[in-house]
Structures are given as structure tokens and as C-alpha cells.
Amino acid sequence: RNNPFSPTRGWYAEWAMHIHKQVFGSQFHYFEHQFDLRRYLPLSDRNLLAFQGIGHFTAGTIPLRELPR
């Protein structure tokens, strides 16, 4: 992206993984993956087209309060 707060062109990608295991102090055993992918396309000097894809995936024994929103 050309600007972190108000982009007009470029890409943004983020991936986060959370591991919950008893060895780390959790009562549950599960994994979470979160994805965020964005694309900014300038159409003209004052117009912009933006796309965003978000994914939140879990596997294992997930407590109810932690299910993907």
C-alpha cells in the first residue's frame, strides 16, 4: 500500500495463527487461522476500487465463545 491509513493503490495481506494447547496453559486443544487480503485499484484521481477477502478458520476442540464470529 502506498499509505497505511488511506491507501489508493497496492496490496495488503495479513495472516495470523493461534495455537491453544494444554502445554501452553489452555484447557482446550485447537488452532485458529485468520486471513485478510486487500487490493486497492485507482480508477481516477478521485476514485478508487477496493476488494477485501477475510477468512477465519478453526480446527480442534473449540470452546463456544471462540468459534469464528
Side-chain angles (χ1 to χ4, degrees):
R1 301 178 298 179
N2 60 335
N3 185 320
F5 297 109
S6 184
T8 58
R9 66 181 183 281
W11 289 86
Y12 172 82
E14 180 179 357
W15 170 59
M17 184 174 114
H18 304 273
I19 301 171
H20 304 271
K21 294 177 106 177
Q22 288 180 341
V23 113
F24 300 129
S26 177
Q27 295 178 351
F28 299 91
H29 179 84
Y30 67 100
F31 300 90
E32 289 182 86
H33 295 275
Q34 298 174 343
F35 300 95
D36 185 356
L37 181 63
R38 304 173 194 180
R39 174 76 167 127
Y40 303 94
L41 302 167
L43 298 177
S44 67
D45 289 341
R46 301 189 73 204
N47 293 303
L48 165 74
L49 181 62
F51 297 95
Q52 181 179 23
I54 296 175
H56 189 164
F57 305 96
T58 55
T61 308
I62 303 117
L64 180 63
R65 70 179 186 279
E66 294 298 325
L67 288 173
R69 289 124 193 90

